[in-house]
Amino acid sequence: MKRIILITSVLALSLLAVRPSLAQNSNATYERLMSTDGITTVFLSSSMLSESSLQFSGNNGHSASLQGLLQAVQSVYIFSAEDSKNINLMRSIFAPMIKMDSPVYEQLFFIKEDQRTMRLVGKKKRDEIHDLYLLVDAPDEYVAISFIGKFSRRQIEDAVQSADHSSRKGPLRNR
């Protein structure tokens, strides 16, 4: 499995070398994902988020402290694929974000459980993070959630600490 992920990552990075990255051309990337058959797309505007009574809590009774983060969110894009072709497409698009030495992106945390990996990645800009990406990669599914907005380090630390406490119950197992 590691060999497949490694090969897929290498191929994805080589393909991305000849086309603009997500950071350089996110609108075009989002349009591409939205227009691809087999990729489910959800968009939530700032007014939908501010007027909504959405609850972000796990079914294990623990709730991540996302309120501080949600106040800074301008919009949310959710992309999901379940077929291998589109899973590989999404992996190739989001691969530059998960490089540990990326000058643009910072991996804030990751949880690996069995064959699933969940990563929270942010686009760095001085002491702020502009846009957060929650990436869930599994053999049979890839989900990318883009939280568009500006976030302070403190907001992110609070959410990550809360998510870390609730993840000890196994959030990826409850699928």
Side-chain angles (χ1 to χ4, degrees):
M1 180 65 182
K2 289 181 183 180
R3 183 177 294 163
I4 293 171
I5 291 173
L6 180 62
I7 291 169
T8 303
S9 297
V10 169
L11 289 173
L13 290 174
S14 64
L15 289 172
L16 287 171
V18 295
R19 71 171 188 226
S21 73
L22 185 63
Q24 296 168 336
N25 200 359
S26 63
N27 286 339
T29 301
Y30 289 167
E31 290 294 327
R32 180 176 180 199
L33 290 170
M34 287 187 273
S35 65
T36 301
D37 288 339
I39 294 180
T40 303
T41 305
V42 176
F43 171 75
L44 300 170
S45 69
S46 59
S47 62
M48 177 66 173
L49 292 168
S50 66
E51 296 173 14
S52 162
S53 61
L54 291 173
Q55 297 293 318
F56 291 90
S57 62
N59 54 0
N60 59 7
H62 295 278
S63 177
S65 176
L66 297 177
Q67 193 56 39
L69 284 179
L70 291 177
Q71 292 172 354
V73 173
Q74 297 169 358
S75 60
V76 176
Y77 290 90
I78 304 170
F79 303 100
S80 176
E82 294 180 348
D83 64 279
S84 61
K85 177 183 170 190
N86 286 319
I87 289 171
N88 288 333
L89 172 64
M90 289 181 65
R91 283 179 181 146
S92 71
I93 288 172
F94 292 101
M97 292 182 179
I98 60 176
K99 288 177 54 180
M100 294 301 237
D101 60 347
S102 171
V104 178
Y105 296 101
E106 180 178 347
Q107 191 165 190
L108 302 167
F109 79 84
F110 74 90
I111 300 170
K112 182 177 183 324
E113 185 173 62
D114 299 324
Q115 294 183 1
R116 293 185 177 105
T117 305
M118 179 174 67
R119 292 179 167 87
L120 182 65
V121 179
K123 189 173 7 171
K124 299 184 277 190
K125 190 151 189 169
R126 294 183 291 281
D127 287 340
E128 287 184 328
I129 297 290
H130 291 212
D131 306 339
L132 287 169
Y133 302 88
L134 183 63
L135 307 172
V136 181
D137 190 354
D140 59 347
E141 181 179 37
Y142 194 99
V143 178
I145 305 174
S146 300
F147 299 92
I148 308 303
K150 295 178 185 176
F151 309 94
S152 71
R153 294 278 178 183
R154 183 69 185 162
Q155 288 172 310
I156 295 167
E157 286 172 10
D158 290 346
V160 169
Q161 286 175 354
S162 178
D164 180 47
H165 292 299
S166 64
S167 72
R168 295 180 187 169
K169 299 268 184 186
L172 294 177
R173 283 194 211 283
N174 298 332
R175 295 187 51 96

